[in-house]
């Protein structure tokens, strides 16, 4: 466990405090040790949120939690009994939950003929059952909140087929439809939306963007002619977590530079 305890010290600068868009909101973020989850945590902390950060990577999570003065807790989202304990712990530490962002995920790109059944099982477990476990455990707290939000990070792979992604695409399409169904079941008190990122420069896609040739080719495929940055996704997550999106639920928003609409 990595924890700075419930005495949350937010990094909100004094001058920003009055305009903080998440002041008083208590948000749990999974996959917070890296990439999009970490950037969402940074943006939300700057907007005055009280954060509970989860990740299976304890060392990296500890660094992010210390940086943000947030409550961090090591957790494998596929381990249902651990999730139940950890989510309750987080809610106790930050005084409840107004929102959840499920960013933890894994990617294995393998042609179907070579796809190991264990890899299929693991992608479904982390990418779909993980958010299910987290939200089941968080639900009593979200129901007790005034107006709660759920943001699930899927992928353009939920929207369009790509080679070698049978397992990943199936998991992300399932996550997106899960989220739409959640929006119906949990409204009006809780809104639930999905973000579908295109290629975003994180650890997960390092194999691609570190190679200039692959990177250029990937950028050339999209209307905006660049790969995505974690900030692009974090800003979308902020939109779905504030009243700016107060009449929006059950949607899936591509943040992909114009990759999936064609
Ligand atoms: N990077 C992209 O181009 C891209 C595109 C579309 C969708 N996504 C999705 O965005 C989300 C964030 O990915 P990222 O690019 O920031 O990747 P990342 O690898 O930088 O971060 C993913 C984080 O999830 C954590 N994680 C993995 N398995 C876990 C588990 N069982 N329990 C708890 N934490 C676990 C990892 O430790 C890591 O910190 C993922 O769901 C991913 O599938 C990424």
């Amino acid at each position: 466990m990595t924890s700075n305890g419930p005495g949350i010290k937010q990094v909100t600068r004094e001058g920003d405090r009055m305009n903080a868009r998440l002041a008083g909101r208590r948000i749990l973020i999974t996959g917070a040790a890296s990439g999009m989850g970490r950037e969402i945590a940074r943006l939300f902390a700057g907007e005055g949120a009280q954060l509970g950060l989860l990740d299976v990577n304890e060392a990296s999570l500890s660094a992010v939690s210390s940086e943000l003065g947030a409550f961090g807790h090591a957790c494998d989202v596929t381990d249902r009994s651990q999730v139940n304990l950890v989510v309750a712990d987080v809610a106790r530490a930050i005084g409840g939950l107004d929102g959840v962002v499920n960013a933890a995920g894994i990617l294995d790109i393998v042609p179907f003929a070579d796809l190991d059944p264990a890899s299929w099982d693991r992608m479904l477990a982390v990418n779909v059952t993980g958010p299910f476990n987290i939200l089941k455990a968080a639900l009593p707290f979200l129901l007790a909140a005034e107006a709660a939000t759920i943001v699930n990070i899927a992928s353009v792979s939920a929207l369009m087929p790509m080679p070698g992604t049978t397992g990943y695409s199936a998991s992300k399409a399932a996550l997106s439809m899960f989220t739409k169904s959640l929006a119906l079941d949990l409204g009006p008190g809780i809104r639930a939306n999905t973000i579908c990122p295109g290629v975003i420069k994180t650890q997960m896609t390092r194999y691609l963007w570190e190679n200039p040739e692959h990177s250029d080719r990937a950028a050339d495929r999209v209307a905006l002619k660049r790969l995505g940055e974690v900030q692009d996704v974090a800003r979308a997550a902020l939109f779905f977590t504030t009243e700016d999106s107060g009449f929006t639920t059950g949607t899936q928003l591509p943040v992909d530079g114009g990759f999936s609409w064609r």
Side-chain angles (χ1 to χ4, degrees):
M1 185 203 301
T2 60
S3 161
N4 290 327
I8 311 293
K9 285 186 277 103
Q10 293 302 337
V11 293
T12 313
R13 289 188 300 274
E14 205 51 52
D16 293 341
R17 218 175 275 279
M18 298 214 344
N19 297 322
R21 283 178 281 181
L22 295 176
R25 283 177 69 80
R26 302 150 299 178
I27 313 290
L28 183 151
I29 302 172
T30 74
S34 174
M36 298 179 209
R38 179 173 56 198
E39 184 59 26
I40 291 166
R42 286 179 174 147
L43 181 63
F44 282 21
E47 292 290 346
Q50 293 185 326
L51 298 178
L53 307 181
L54 307 188
D55 203 287
V56 75
N57 183 336
E58 190 165 359
S60 300
L61 180 70
S62 176
V64 179
S65 305
S66 300
E67 172 195 327
L68 301 179
F71 185 85
H73 209 312
C75 180
D76 181 341
V77 296
T78 68
D79 182 339
R80 193 165 290 151
S81 47
Q82 189 188 26
V83 165
N84 289 339
L85 292 173
V86 168
V87 170
D89 228 28
V90 167
R92 212 174 8 253
I94 64 176
L97 289 177
D98 300 290
V100 171
V101 179
N102 281 302
I106 55 170
L107 163 70
D108 212 357
I109 301 183
V110 190
F112 179 67
D114 302 323
L115 181 64
D116 186 335
S119 169
W120 167 275
D121 288 348
R122 188 71 189 156
M123 277 189 280
L124 270 290
V126 176
N127 297 350
V128 190
T129 308
F132 169 86
N133 292 341
I134 291 285
L135 292 169
K136 264 288 187 191
L139 187 60
F141 305 103
L142 297 175
L143 287 171
E146 210 169 289
T149 54
I150 294 167
V151 179
N152 288 332
I153 311 289
S155 167
V156 289
S157 294
L159 310 174
M160 58 190 286
M162 276 177 278
T165 65
T166 49
Y168 188 69
S169 295
S171 74
K172 292 301 191 178
L175 179 61
S176 180
M177 191 52 81
F178 168 60
T179 313
K180 289 184 191 189
S181 306
L182 267 183
L184 268 182
D185 277 5
L186 300 183
I190 304 175
R191 295 186 296 108
N193 290 287
T194 306
I195 297 173
C196 295
V199 180
I200 310 292
K201 286 158 70 180
T202 68
Q203 191 60 35
M204 186 177 278
T205 50
R206 184 174 285 278
Y207 70 94
L208 190 154
W209 53 263
E210 267 194 348
N211 177 325
E213 197 186 313
H214 293 172
S215 176
D216 289 351
R217 204 174 320 132
D220 201 46
R221 271 206 303 262
V222 307
L224 298 184
K225 302 297 176 206
R226 68 170 175 88
L227 302 187
E229 304 290 343
V230 285
Q231 291 82 358
D232 295 314
V233 177
R235 284 192 288 261
L238 179 63
F239 170 67
F240 283 134
T241 303
T242 63
E243 265 306 294
D244 287 352
S245 60
F247 198 47
T248 304
T249 193
T251 62
Q252 46 184 23
L253 177 70
V255 178
D256 65 356
F259 185 30
S260 60
W261 56 273
R262 286 176 293 168

